[in-house]
Amino acid sequence: MTTDNKLMNPTSTNPIATLASMLLLTLACNFCGRAEAKERFEFRDGDRIVLIGDGLIEQEQYSGWIEVMLTSSMPDLNMTFRNLGWNADTPAGDSRFGLSLLQAGNEPADEGWKQLQKQIELTRPTVVILGYAMAAALESAGQQSDFDRTTSMIKFAEDYQRLIETIRRISPDCRFVYLSPISAVGPSLLDEQWVRSYSGLIKQVTEKHPGRFVDLTQVALDAAARKDPIHL
């Protein structure tokens, strides 16, 4: 695996480029002999790479840095990319109600989940990059009681695991890359405690569903690189 120094410049002023650099560098550890066997990950010729998540993933549509960096670092591989990110989404597909053909307001409670499953069936991924937790962590932080905060975290973990299992049912040989949430920069409900808590939840899930975890908590910590405290 070779990389272009310009593409891998971690001082890039584009925060999505910084995120993409972190992703590529973490995956590249496999080729440096530093990854444990159970964590080994590699892209393959013909891979269908699907990005699924909340606003963290959705905003990658506007720059395409992850696709640019991966294809530039592995020019001999024929890979395709699809972005299924949706702002404020959860692993239950809660932001995808608008994709339904049903009349607004008359959708069943699980319509967003059905739409997410349809999108996965259409794309049939061989690699999934999962970027959930920002929206869920904000929701948890906004709850008024410890019980509600704990309940929201349990629901996220259950929905996240269900999503992985559903992807594996649709594409049994799919490999996974799990992204942590990013840290807030500036005033936000999303303090470091919630970022660490949800990062920990995701890491726990990866113990049951092997894949590569990428820690993004130190990405773009300069306020000038952010649209606002929680968006790149």
Side-chain angles (χ1 to χ4, degrees):
M1 181 178 186
T2 60
T3 57
D4 185 299
N5 287 335
K6 290 182 179 180
L7 287 173
M8 293 303 298
N9 180 8
T11 62
S12 169
T13 57
N14 186 310
I16 299 293
T18 306
L19 182 155
S21 295
M22 178 70 79
L23 172 61
L24 187 53
L25 284 170
T26 302
L27 295 178
C29 288
N30 291 298
F31 301 89
C32 303
R34 293 196 295 268
E36 297 179 5
K38 68 177 182 179
E39 297 177 334
R40 289 191 65 82
F41 184 96
E42 62 182 1
F43 290 99
R44 302 168 187 166
D45 191 47
D47 266 338
R48 297 183 300 279
I49 302 168
V50 178
L51 293 85
I52 307 174
D54 51 31
L56 180 67
I57 294 296
E58 182 190 43
Q59 292 182 69
E60 162 62 11
Q61 297 178 40
Y62 306 119
S63 61
W65 271 106
I66 291 178
E67 180 175 351
V68 167
M69 288 191 174
L70 289 178
T71 54
S72 298
S73 64
M74 295 168 283
D76 295 332
L77 299 185
N78 179 24
M79 300 182 292
T80 59
F81 295 78
R82 296 291 182 269
N83 190 315
L84 302 184
W86 204 274
N87 192 45
D89 199 30
T90 71
D94 290 327
S95 289
R96 300 171 194 261
F97 281 92
L99 298 177
S100 174
L101 296 178
L102 299 174
Q103 183 178 4
N106 291 328
E107 305 99 333
D110 63 346
E111 185 62 23
W113 171 241
K114 290 178 180 177
Q115 294 299 322
L116 179 54
Q117 290 180 85
K118 287 180 181 178
Q119 292 178 324
I120 296 167
E121 289 170 351
L122 285 171
T123 52
R124 294 279 171 176
T126 60
V127 174
V128 163
I129 299 176
L130 276 182
Y132 279 111
M134 293 296 292
L138 279 168
E139 181 180 353
S140 294
Q143 298 292 340
Q144 298 302 308
S145 70
D146 288 342
F147 175 81
D148 289 339
R149 286 189 284 270
T150 300
T151 299
S152 66
M153 292 182 68
I154 293 172
K155 184 178 188 308
F156 171 84
E158 292 175 345
D159 289 343
Y160 196 86
Q161 181 163 296
R162 179 181 65 165
L163 176 58
I164 296 169
E165 292 171 349
T166 299
I167 294 170
R168 288 201 183 282
R169 175 179 55 79
I170 295 170
S171 294
D173 297 324
C174 187
R175 291 106 67 208
F176 288 83
V177 178
Y178 305 103
L179 306 183
S180 80
I182 60 175
S183 298
V185 176
S188 173
L189 280 174
L190 188 65
D191 61 25
E192 202 59 30
Q193 171 191 344
W194 288 111
V195 173
R196 289 196 301 268
S197 295
Y198 272 84
S199 293
L201 277 179
I202 293 170
K203 291 185 75 172
Q204 287 179 25
V205 171
T206 66
E207 295 177 2
K208 183 175 181 180
H209 300 280
R212 199 65 195 271
F213 176 78
V214 181
D215 186 353
L216 299 177
T217 58
Q218 300 303 305
V219 166
L221 296 181
D222 183 353
R226 299 289 186 99
K227 294 179 179 179
D228 58 51
I230 62 170
H231 292 103
L232 299 178

